[in-house]
Amino acid sequence: MTILVTGATGNIGRRVVDGLVGAGQRVRVMVRDPRTARLPQGVESVHGDFTRPDTWPAALKGAERVYVFPYAYYAPESAGLGFVEQAATAGVRRFVVHSAAAAGFTPSNDQSALGRHLEEERQAHRGLELMVEATGREWTHVRPGLLAVNALGWAEQIRAERRVRAPYGRSGYPLVHEADVADVAVEALITDKHLGAAYTITGPAKVTQIEQAAAIGAAIATEVRFEELTPAQARAQWLSEGYPPEIADWMIELSADAVDGPGVLPPTGTYEEIIGRPPRTFVQWAADHAGDFLGEAA
């Protein structure tokens, strides 16, 4: 059985590949440049690009199961078939969709920056799920919440200044380790226990931004100070860094949303139910990524 992994060079995709190889599976990856992809021994690498339908047949040939990255939702059609439909026509029997927690949210007419962003996310990710379901093939949807890896956005300022500058220090979410998402995806790809299920995966508990900075500091054995900005200061900083105004507004509202409570997504126990052990903590994530926060300033 050949399992095709798309998005295989990303934070989650590469861990899916590692997990499948560790489980003794035959793995193929669809990547834009097979020559530069760093992959485990024995993984078949095939040139493929979601923007180029002519590259899909070679990647899909003989594949029975596919890990589908969200870019498939935006893939153009070829002879009337998008990537998902072409995969089903090529003989794929099972899809495991890399989706997002927003796919399970209730449709909303909230016109705030946060509300509009979440509704856009819901429509896109649920749209991909519906494409897969419409094929009539086996499916499982893996819906991660906010990823701990987003904290890498602080890496440059931590390396240079040993501090984090952001609004709403007491804000936080149950950030999920990318390895946990990959574990669930691998389980869904290689076993028959999760057919027709949609799983929202989070970390074990809310972690405030102040706590995140402290955990990163502990991981690199150096104090990382948290400097709280006002919303106006944060917006000005993000605009100066090139963020579009609507994204800056969304980031501020997302942080404000989770100051006194769990925000839009409370913790779930899904990972432990599926894998049989507690999800990885943010402290573990910081230790796993300590090298990303170190550098010439270390």
Side-chain angles (χ1 to χ4, degrees), residues 72-106:
Y73 178 69
Y74 302 100
E77 293 186 348
S78 174
L81 297 178
F83 179 83
V84 168
E85 295 85 358
Q86 191 169 139
T89 300
V92 170
R93 295 187 296 106
R94 178 179 302 180
F95 295 88
V96 173
V97 179
H98 177 102
S99 186
F105 291 176
T106 301

Side-chain angles (χ1 to χ4, degrees), residues 173-223:
Y173 285 90
L175 302 175
V176 58
H177 196 305
E178 63 272 15
D180 287 1
V181 183
D183 286 347
V184 174
V186 169
E187 172 77 6
L189 283 163
I190 66 177
T191 77
D192 297 334
K193 301 176 183 177
H194 310 289
L195 303 182
Y199 293 127
T200 297
I201 313 297
T202 72
K206 172 181 173 177
V207 188
T208 69
Q209 295 191 98
I210 293 171
E211 291 168 336
Q212 292 170 48
I216 293 167
I220 63 175
T222 304
E223 181 185 8

Side-chain angles (χ1 to χ4, degrees), residues 11-12 98 144-151 174-178 181 282 285:
N11 291 306
I12 297 173
H98 177 102
L146 287 173
L147 293 165
V149 76
N150 290 331
L175 302 175
V176 58
H177 196 305
E178 63 272 15
V181 183
F282 187 85
W285 179 89

Side-chain angles (χ1 to χ4, degrees), residues 30-293:
M30 186 178 91
V31 292
R32 290 182 177 178
D33 189 350
R35 297 170 300 177
T36 60
R38 291 160 46 181
L39 301 164
Q41 185 87 16
V43 172
E44 179 187 4
S45 181
V46 176
H47 170 61
D49 188 330
F50 279 124
T51 67
R52 292 189 52 196
D54 60 299
T55 67
W56 302 343
L60 291 168
K61 185 177 180 180
E64 298 178 42
R65 300 180 183 184
V66 177
Y67 178 71
V68 186
F69 199 67
Y71 288 149
Y73 178 69
Y74 302 100
E77 293 186 348
S78 174
L81 297 178
F83 179 83
V84 168
E85 295 85 358
Q86 191 169 139
T89 300
V92 170
R93 295 187 296 106
R94 178 179 302 180
F95 295 88
V96 173
V97 179
H98 177 102
S99 186
F105 291 176
T106 301
S108 172
N109 291 318
D110 182 356
Q111 292 304 301
S112 67
L114 177 58
R116 293 195 308 273
H117 180 84
L118 291 177
E119 179 58 18
E120 290 170 0
E121 285 283 293
R122 186 196 67 79
Q123 291 182 18
H125 289 283
R126 184 59 184 144
L128 177 56
E129 292 179 357
L130 289 171
M131 284 182 184
V132 167
E133 292 173 24
T135 66
R137 304 301 195 269
E138 299 171 348
W139 58 265
T140 306
H141 304 322
V142 180
R143 298 170 169 174
L146 287 173
L147 293 165
V149 76
N150 290 331
L152 290 179
W154 292 338
E156 184 176 348
Q157 60 182 294
I158 288 176
R159 287 194 298 264
E161 305 172 12
R162 293 296 188 260
R163 67 174 176 173
V164 168
R165 303 177 74 246
Y168 300 110
R170 292 187 297 109
S171 173
Y173 285 90
L175 302 175
V176 58
H177 196 305
E178 63 272 15
D180 287 1
V181 183
D183 286 347
V184 174
V186 169
E187 172 77 6
L189 283 163
I190 66 177
T191 77
D192 297 334
K193 301 176 183 177
H194 310 289
L195 303 182
Y199 293 127
T200 297
I201 313 297
T202 72
K206 172 181 173 177
V207 188
T208 69
Q209 295 191 98
I210 293 171
E211 291 168 336
Q212 292 170 48
I216 293 167
I220 63 175
T222 304
E223 181 185 8
V224 174
R225 295 180 295 109
F226 186 91
E227 181 180 323
E228 183 148 341
L229 302 178
T230 66
Q233 289 172 328
R235 190 176 192 275
Q237 174 179 298
W238 290 332
L239 291 178
S240 72
E241 294 171 354
Y243 287 92
E246 62 272 17
I247 297 299
D249 292 340
W250 163 68
M251 291 164 64
I252 290 169
E253 291 183 16
L254 182 67
S255 294
D257 180 68
V259 171
D260 297 318
V264 296
L265 184 64
T268 69
T270 309
Y271 179 83
E272 187 164 8
E273 293 170 9
I274 295 171
I275 304 300
R277 60 176 180 269
R280 295 168 175 89
T281 64
F282 187 85
V283 168
Q284 182 171 348
W285 179 89
D288 291 343
H289 288 271
D292 294 309
F293 294 100

